[in-house]
């Protein structure tokens, strides 16, 4: 007899489906969200808005796709070619269309009938922001508030690893001291927020899932320099808790790439922080149970004041 | 011009010089330094002289090609590639095994 794993991913997914929180999909990594799931997700996103209301962030909204050249420009294909989603579309005429339909009918591959478009799926909601910051920043720098859908090509049956999900993100651009101070403030604030919501959250240094052997070096660099932190909550594993929130310090990478200058004339530095909204929501269901009516009063009050 | 002339006339018969020359050539071609890779001090911090995380990866891969070895995962970190002296120590360690 094997011991029951309280963090079994399949059991967790099945429970999300059973309680109509998740509407099952037909391909790994893609599924619908039910009304109660959305109620929690939006409640949390609104709570973040209330907490950040005094920060005077500028709201920006972008679609879930970007100019492919932007993905090339920021170096995404160097670091994460395996996660990118590039849009290919049918641009042929009638004869090719008949060929296409015939192949679909026969279950044969049809990728060669498509052409690469100028569009990529957005891999992180902050990428479209930086081009809007080009030039010299005001004295206090700028702070941008974003919510949007992102794409990562890592299909998995495990519910916390989605192909498409929402991020609530803030981007700070200013001189180095200002950016680091902002990042440190949010590190405390983000962790505190999750603890107040009753989640067994903890903060840790982290690294991105960079591609290949070069990626191992990039990840070691990122850890050595403490450029990335995550807030982790056990959702589908006690040993490897799930990152629900991350803090990334880019140094002058985007400042240089997009010619952004701080008010002091130096190349601007940037940092971002983001909550994975679906993962946050799943962490809430894992911790407090699948029926929101039974959640602690203090938690309900925070989400739905 | 003058620098490359000096480089070309250096004695190249010693083992040490060959390693250093190869390392400096890789740095010149791949590190995108803001200083001359052929003359930069061997203890100068390459990351403070224009090498980025990304060009550092290119340097690592080019060194593997130049010396025909593979860095073990434990050596894929910032300090190994921080200075010419550090790179030389790593190269010597990996080539001595062969």
């Amino acid at each position: 007899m094997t011991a029951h794993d309280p963090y079994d991913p399949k059991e967790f997914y099945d429970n999300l489906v059973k309680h109509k929180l998740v509407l099952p999909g037909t391909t790994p990594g893609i599924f619908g969200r039910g009304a109660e799931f959305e109620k929690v997700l939006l409640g949390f996103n609104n709570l973040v808005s209330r907490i950040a209301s005094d920060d005077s962030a500028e709201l920006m909204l972008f679609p879930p796709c970007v100019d492919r050249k932007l993905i090339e420009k920021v170096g995404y294909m160097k670091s994460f070619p395996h996660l990118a989603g590039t849009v290919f579309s049918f641009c042929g005429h009638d004869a090719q269309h008949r060929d296409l339909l015939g192949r679909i009918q026969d279950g044969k591959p049809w990728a060669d009938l498509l052409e690469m478009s100028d569009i990529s799926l957005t891999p992180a909601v902050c990428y479209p922001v930086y081009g809007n910051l080009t030039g010299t920043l005001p004295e206090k720098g700028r702070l941008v508030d974003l919510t949007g859908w992102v794409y990562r090509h890592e299909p998995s049956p495990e519910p916390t690893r989605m192909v498409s999900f929402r991020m609530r993100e803030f981007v700070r651009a200013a001189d180095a001291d200002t950016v680091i101070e902002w990042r440190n403030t949010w590190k405390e604030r983000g962790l505190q927020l999750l603890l107040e919501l009753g989640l067994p959250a903890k903060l840790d240094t982290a690294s991105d899932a960079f591609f290949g052997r070069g990626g191992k070096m990039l990840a070691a660099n990122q850890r050595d320099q403490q450029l990335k932190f995550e807030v982790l909550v056990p959702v589908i594993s006690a040993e490897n808790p799930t990152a629900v929130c991350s803090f990334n310090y880019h140094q002058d990478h985007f400042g240089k790439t997009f010619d952004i200058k701080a008010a002091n004339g130096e190349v601007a530095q940037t940092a971002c922080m983001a909550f994975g909204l679906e993962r946050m929501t799943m962490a809430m269901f894992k911790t407090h149970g699948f029926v929101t009516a039974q959640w602690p009063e203090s938690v309900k009050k925070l989400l739905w004041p | 011009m003058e620098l490359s002339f000096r480089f070309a006339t250096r004695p190249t018969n010693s083992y040490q010089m060959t390693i250093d020359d190869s390392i400096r050539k890789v740095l010149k071609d791949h590190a995108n330094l803001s200083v001359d890779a052929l003359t930069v001090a061997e203890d100068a911090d390459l990351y403070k002289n224009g090498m980025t995380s990304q060009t550092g990866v290119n340097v690592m891969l080019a060194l593997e090609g130049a010396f025909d070895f593979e860095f073990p995962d434990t050596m894929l970190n910032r300090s190994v590639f921080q200075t010419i002296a550090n790179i030389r120590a790593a190269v010597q360690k990996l080539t001595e095994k062969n």
Side-chain angles (χ1 to χ4, degrees):
Chain A
M1 188 181 144
T2 50
H4 175 246
D5 174 11
Y7 290 100
D8 178 40
K10 187 174 183 308
E11 187 182 314
F12 180 59
Y13 180 77
D14 289 346
N15 266 318
L16 290 171
V17 172
K18 186 178 143 194
H19 291 88
K20 297 187 169 54
L21 300 168
V22 155
L23 316 173
T26 52
T27 190
I30 300 181
F31 47 76
R33 284 74 163 151
E36 199 69 359
F37 189 97
E38 281 302 288
K39 191 177 101 179
V40 174
L41 187 145
L42 295 175
F44 175 74
N45 206 22
N46 290 338
L47 172 59
V48 173
S49 298
R50 289 199 301 280
I51 283 177
S53 62
D54 290 340
D55 297 359
S56 312
E58 307 165 48
L59 185 72
M60 290 191 192
L61 193 70
F62 298 97
C65 47
V66 291
D67 183 343
R68 172 166 51 82
K69 288 194 288 297
L70 173 65
I71 294 307
E72 295 167 3
K73 184 173 178 172
V74 297
Y76 196 80
M77 298 310 284
K78 287 183 196 165
S79 301
F80 309 105
H82 56 309
L83 299 180
T86 309
V87 177
F88 284 68
S89 293
F90 178 72
C91 306
H93 297 292
D94 284 324
Q96 288 112 342
H97 185 217
R98 280 193 295 278
D99 189 7
L100 173 76
L101 296 182
R103 291 209 225 164
I104 290 173
Q105 173 100 28
D106 298 342
K108 289 181 180 161
W110 43 278
D112 58 298
L113 294 171
L114 304 182
E115 281 179 35
M116 189 184 205
S117 75
D118 292 333
I119 297 163
S120 285
L121 301 178
T122 305
V125 289
C126 65
Y127 283 128
V129 169
Y130 303 104
N132 289 283
L133 304 180
T134 299
T136 302
L137 299 171
E139 193 64 35
K140 291 179 177 170
R142 284 174 78 175
L143 174 65
V144 181
D145 177 356
L146 303 141
T147 302
W149 286 88
V150 299
Y151 179 87
R152 305 277 171 86
H153 189 73
E154 45 181 357
S156 165
E158 181 275 86
T160 63
R161 194 160 294 283
M162 290 153 278
V163 165
S164 187
F165 56 93
R166 279 162 288 181
M167 286 166 74
R168 172 66 180 275
E169 182 156 349
F170 293 98
V171 176
R172 189 77 171 101
D175 59 88
D177 290 347
T178 306
V179 165
I180 291 169
E181 191 191 328
W182 175 83
R183 192 270 314 262
N184 290 344
T185 304
W186 254 118
K187 251 165 68 183
E188 277 180 35
R189 214 190 217 183
L191 180 64
Q192 192 55 37
L193 172 62
L194 269 57
L195 293 173
E196 278 173 30
L197 285 168
L199 299 179
K202 56 177 190 190
L203 185 74
D204 203 356
T205 51
S207 60
D208 284 306
F210 295 110
F211 179 78
R213 295 192 62 249
K216 288 195 173 129
M217 192 162 142
L218 292 175
N221 272 335
Q222 203 179 22
R223 280 183 184 276
D224 280 358
Q225 298 184 86
Q226 301 213 318
L227 300 179
K228 186 180 187 81
F229 292 90
E230 288 174 341
V231 177
L232 307 159
V233 179
V235 180
I236 53 148
S237 163
E239 299 80 33
N240 298 303
T242 301
V244 296
C245 170
S246 78
F247 312 87
N248 297 283
Y249 174 33
H250 318 122
Q251 297 170 310
D252 61 6
H253 175 67
F254 292 112
K256 273 185 180 160
T257 308
F258 292 94
D259 195 20
I260 310 165
K261 297 263 190 308
N264 63 12
E266 289 174 8
V267 176
Q269 302 230 338
T270 59
C272 64
M273 75 80 53
F275 293 100
L277 293 177
E278 276 82 359
R279 281 187 170 186
M280 254 311 296
T281 304
M282 288 182 196
M284 295 293 288
F285 283 112
K286 180 68 192 177
T287 306
H288 298 305
F290 296 98
V291 181
T292 56
Q294 294 167 8
W295 285 9
E297 285 305 316
S298 60
V299 171
K300 287 195 271 188
K301 206 180 254 179
L302 276 171
L303 291 179
W304 308 291
Chain B
M1 274 319 196
E2 194 213 342
L3 292 175
S4 53
F5 177 72
R6 266 173 52 205
F7 175 63
T9 55
R10 273 182 192 172
T12 53
N13 51 347
S14 79
Y15 175 65
Q16 172 102 356
M17 192 55 80
T18 310
I19 287 186
D20 276 17
D21 287 349
S22 299
I23 292 170
R24 286 177 185 276
K25 170 102 177 38
V26 164
L27 289 172
K28 185 176 167 59
D29 292 345
H30 299 280
N32 202 18
L33 297 181
S34 51
V35 294
D36 187 349
L38 303 182
T39 55
V40 66
E42 66 168 52
D43 59 352
D45 187 334
L46 300 172
Y47 290 105
K48 287 186 177 155
N49 284 286
M51 190 163 78
T52 64
S53 298
Q54 284 288 357
T55 61
V57 167
N58 296 341
V59 166
M60 181 271 285
L61 295 171
L63 287 167
E64 291 189 340
F67 292 100
D68 193 27
F69 58 52
E70 207 167 87
F71 287 101
D73 286 359
T74 50
M75 289 176 98
L76 295 179
N77 61 57
R78 197 173 173 82
S79 65
V80 166
F81 301 90
Q82 195 146 17
T83 66
I84 289 176
N86 288 11
I87 294 173
R88 185 204 304 131
V91 168
Q92 282 172 335
K93 193 173 170 192
L94 292 172
T95 48
E96 270 164 18
K97 277 185 191 163
N98 297 331

